[in-house]
Amino acid sequence: MTHPSASIPEAPYADDSLGLHTDKYQINMTEVYWRDQIHQRKAVFEVYFRKIPFQNGYAVFAGLERVIRYLHDFRFSESDLAFLKEDGYSEEYLEYLASLRFTGTVRSMREGELVFANEPIMRIEAPLAEAQLIETAILNIINFQTLIATKASRIKQVVRDEVTMEFGSRRAQEMDAAIWGTRAAYIAGFDATSNVRAGKLFGIPSAGTHAHAMVQAYRDEYTAFRKYAECHQDCVFLVDTYDTLRSGVPTAIRVAKEMGDRINFRGIRLDSGDLAYLSKEARKLLDKAGFTDAKIYASNDLDEHTILNLKAQGAKIDVWGIGTKLITAYDQPALGAVYKLISIENENGEMTDTIKISSNPEKITTPGRKRVFRIINKLSGKSEGDYIALEREEPQDQDRLKMFHPVHTYIAKFVTNFEARELHHAIFEDGELVYEMPALKEIQTFVKENLDVLWEEYKRILNPAEYPVNLSQACWDNKMKLIGEIQEKVSRQVQS
Ligand SMILES: Nc1ncnc2c1ncn2[C@@H]1O[C@H](COP(=O)(O)OP(=O)(O)OP(=O)(O)O)[C@@H](O)[C@H]1O
Ligand SMILES: O=P(O)(O)OC[C@H]1O[C@H](OP(=O)(O)OP(=O)(O)O)[C@H](O)[C@@H]1O
Ligand SMILES: O=C(O)c1cccnc1
């Protein structure tokens, strides 16, 4: 019996855009603003998170490049608009959406900047409608990429100078996550990825060994290793398919000896069993055979905790292959960065600060346009903490800077002889891109430099000290003034 050949339906939207990569409520709120003719009022939003992931002492900001591309290309395509039309939105509103482009001003930390809880990573100043529509995509990008860069940085803190390879594509939450996740890992200091497309798109070195399937396909390790060596110069043999120490490692050594200078015998990979024990025994066998330069690669559900433990056991591992637990941020699958309105133009054309009150003092937003400074002690070269000031303030002009806790204000210190390094940079000015995007390698170096400025106490992976993120007096006063005004207003409402 023959079957009619099946066909895959064509991708339905050749002009699909990221315009609709937003939550429906953004489109609905924007419609309200547009109908009420307040859509052009200038609004200022900030992106920040309230808790550093993985109980780490810092986070590594990643995602700016994709945010830039998203804002630069922001528009609703024909098929986006047709879809909205079917959904019942009016012709007039759709005409307005069709004309929308991003015309705002963005200031942001640079990728690879170290960022802490409750400080603005990015500030978007744009007509209310535009600023509202882009929230979802911006958070989607920053939350994921910053999360993975932070996880990768934790792993790097433990691995130190040994080589780390990102192996996670097969386990990532779909393809975008694999690609952008590996980029984030590279920013944080990973050396290479197994994902070839990430190599093509971003220039990340791509590399790899081979899988158990190849050994199984040839049925024996000798034939598999030999065939691989006849085809590829650089060889890392996977030695755990049958019996690591009695079969895998001796066979790898045999093939390396037979092939001699015709190959570059880089080493072996362990992917199961007791990685500490096996790596130590394998090292002895390799050294005894004269392959003292051959490296031992290890993989198998590794993360910073297992790696730390393996090192404590004296494991002889030179190259760490890390997949699932990195790319899925296994122990904390989401970063909770938020996007909050901090200031908006009123009916008289004046900017007025806004606040969101909460019974939890940590959750009360900090109103007003702000700048963030890293206060670096000129004597030690280390950071004293971050200082959030109102736009107009110049902390560098002060001889003696008072830094106090934003909630427990009695925790305070004075800093002298400091550099106030501004962390926000101009990215878009009135819709025009003004930021030169650095090469990925430069971002990686930037992370290293930033980590050098941090005391070790903030970098340990277990119970790190809490890095100070302080408000300026003016910023704090402004916040208290607004809280007072809101309390007054609410109490008047209750009385009337
Ligand atoms: N010496 C060690 N100390 C602590 N953890 C280890 C050590 N050796 C391996 N591990 C970790 O322990 C876990 C063992 O995983 P698992 O139970 O799947 O065993 P396995 O040897 O990989 O078996 P399988 O053949 O099914 O893959 C992995 O996360 C691995 O990284
Ligand atoms: O353990 P991870 O940190 O996620 O690293 C990636 C894993 O992917 C491969 O295993 P898989 O069983 O998928 O394929 P294989 O047959 O090549 O071992 C590889 O051997 C690693 O164990
Ligand atoms: O190259 C490898 O060894 C590799 C690639 C992907 C996943 N695991 C291992």
Side-chain angles (χ1 to χ4, degrees):
M1 202 173 111
T2 57
H3 294 275
S5 62
S7 61
I8 298 176
E10 265 181 43
Y13 304 113
D15 68 341
D16 189 38
S17 85
L18 291 179
L20 293 187
H21 191 90
T22 190
D23 296 303
K24 188 162 181 162
Y25 77 167
Q26 316 283 21
I27 304 220
N28 290 343
M29 282 187 282
T30 302
E31 189 174 17
V32 174
Y33 303 148
W34 170 78
R35 226 170 249 292
D36 198 34
Q37 290 297 295
I38 63 161
H39 59 293
Q40 290 290 11
R41 287 208 190 151
K42 191 188 274 184
V44 189
F45 285 84
E46 271 175 1
V47 176
Y48 62 94
F49 56 79
R50 298 191 183 101
K51 211 160 172 261
I52 302 175
F54 317 111
Q55 297 180 17
N56 206 42
Y58 62 89
V60 177
F61 170 49
L64 179 61
E65 182 174 322
R66 199 170 193 200
V67 167
I68 289 175
R69 289 184 196 284
Y70 164 75
L71 292 178
H72 183 265
D73 298 342
F74 181 79
R75 69 195 57 216
F76 293 97
S77 70
E78 296 264 309
S79 64
D80 295 340
L81 296 162
F83 178 79
L84 291 177
K85 188 171 175 202
E86 261 179 43
D87 214 12
Y89 292 93
S90 73
E91 282 290 352
E92 297 80 12
Y93 180 47
L94 294 179
E95 254 171 55
Y96 163 65
L97 290 185
S99 69
L100 264 184
R101 302 287 181 272
F102 181 69
T103 63
T105 293
V106 177
R107 291 182 65 75
S108 173
M109 290 190 187
R110 292 174 288 174
E111 281 191 292
E113 190 60 85
L114 303 185
V115 55
F116 301 88
N118 296 312
E119 61 186 18
I121 302 172
M122 184 178 281
R123 191 174 88 191
I124 289 114
E125 231 173 304
L128 178 59
E130 291 170 35
Q132 189 76 68
L133 285 167
I134 61 179
E135 168 181 356
T136 308
I138 287 185
L139 290 181
N140 188 193
I141 295 167
I142 291 178
N143 271 321
F144 176 68
Q145 293 195 33
T146 301
L147 186 72
I148 303 302
T150 306
K151 181 73 179 169
S153 185
R154 277 172 70 73
I155 294 171
K156 213 42 212 168
Q157 288 299 338
V158 171
V159 166
R160 299 270 162 192
D161 294 331
E162 289 142 24
V163 175
T164 39
M165 295 178 66
E166 189 284 314
F167 277 176
S169 290
R170 64 192 57 203
R171 307 269 148 67
Q173 269 83 351
E174 261 273 15
M175 293 189 179
D176 250 19
I179 290 291
W180 290 95
T182 199
R183 181 180 178 279
Y186 186 69
I187 284 179
F190 268 55
D191 298 278
T193 176
S194 59
N195 189 304
V196 188
R197 187 162 156 251
K200 175 184 149 193
L201 295 179
F202 305 125
I204 300 174
S206 63
T209 71
H210 69 81
H212 298 109
M214 195 184 75
V215 176
Q216 291 168 273
Y218 284 108
R219 291 179 177 277
D220 75 279
E221 283 170 322
Y222 175 74
T223 317
F225 294 174
R226 180 83 207 196
K227 295 280 180 193
Y228 192 91
E230 284 163 7
C231 187
H232 293 284
Q233 265 262 305
D234 287 334
C235 293
V236 179
F237 299 126
L238 175 62
V239 292
D240 72 335
T241 309
Y242 303 128
D243 186 320
T244 302
L245 297 178
R246 287 196 296 176
S247 169
V249 181
T251 308
I253 290 171
R254 180 180 161 200
V255 173
K257 280 188 172 161
E258 283 175 11
M259 295 300 287
D261 288 345
R262 283 177 288 158
I263 62 164
N264 186 3
F265 176 48
R266 288 200 176 274
I268 58 159
R269 176 161 73 98
L270 305 170
D271 188 47
S272 59
D274 184 329
L275 296 174
Y277 170 74
L278 291 174
S279 64
K280 285 186 264 189
E281 293 304 309
R283 184 74 270 160
K284 284 184 208 157
L285 294 174
L286 289 167
D287 288 352
K288 198 160 159 237
F291 292 109
T292 50
D293 287 342
K295 306 285 183 231
I296 299 183
Y297 292 54
S299 51
N300 192 13
D301 272 338
L302 295 174
D303 64 5
E304 65 274 34
H305 305 292
T306 318
I307 294 172
L308 193 61
N309 214 283
L310 286 167
K311 280 177 168 259
Q313 295 168 56
K316 298 278 183 201
I317 294 166
D318 309 288
V319 181
W320 304 87
I322 301 148
T324 312
K325 291 195 169 162
L326 164 66
I327 209 75
T328 65
Y330 204 74
D331 46 343
Q332 186 182 329
L335 172 69
V338 293
Y339 184 87
K340 296 288 173 197
L341 184 69
I342 49 148
S343 195
I344 186 152
E345 190 179 348
N346 67 14
E347 51 284 2
N348 304 321
E350 297 151 350
M351 294 305 290
T352 51
D353 293 347
T354 65
I355 193 165
K356 160 84 180 68
I357 308 268
S358 162
S359 53
N360 176 354
E362 312 268 358
K363 281 196 166 184
I364 300 178
T365 61
T366 304
R369 281 202 196 95
K370 301 177 282 294
R371 295 198 284 167
V372 189
F373 298 86
R374 188 141 300 155
I375 306 299
I376 299 176
N377 185 315
K378 283 189 182 165
L379 284 180
S380 64
K382 300 289 185 195
S383 174
E384 295 282 347
D386 285 1
Y387 186 81
I388 304 176
L390 291 178
E391 179 86 338
R392 61 183 150 80
E393 293 185 84
E394 293 294 347
Q396 192 65 78
D397 292 349
Q398 299 184 41
D399 293 336
R400 203 163 160 263
L401 192 70
K402 184 177 179 191
M403 297 182 73
F404 62 90
H405 193 282
V407 176
H408 310 291
T409 51
Y410 56 88
I411 305 175
K413 66 179 172 189
F414 287 92
V415 187
T416 53
N417 196 14
F418 62 88
E419 179 203 344
R421 192 177 290 171
E422 187 166 1
L423 302 186
H424 285 174
H425 290 255
I427 310 296
F428 284 94
E429 298 280 4
D430 298 327
E432 192 186 328
L433 180 65
V434 293
Y435 178 68
E436 203 64 57
M437 285 189 272
L440 210 52
K441 195 77 199 162
E442 285 173 53
I443 303 177
Q444 199 184 56
T445 309
F446 184 55
V447 174
K448 274 198 211 130
E449 291 165 358
N450 289 329
L451 283 167
D452 284 346
V453 172
L454 228 56
W455 292 108
E456 289 303 318
E457 287 71 16
Y458 303 119
K459 294 190 270 192
R460 60 176 179 243
I461 66 160
L462 184 67
N463 301 327
E466 190 185 331
Y467 180 86
V469 174
N470 298 159
L471 297 184
S472 73
Q473 188 68 49
C475 199
W476 196 82
D477 289 345
N478 188 45
K479 186 170 181 170
M480 293 309 124
K481 186 177 121 239
L482 245 86
I483 292 175
E485 283 171 13
I486 299 280
Q487 281 168 343
E488 177 79 11
K489 199 167 156 188
V490 172
S491 93
R492 264 193 268 116
Q493 274 167 5
V494 171
Q495 283 161 14
S496 64

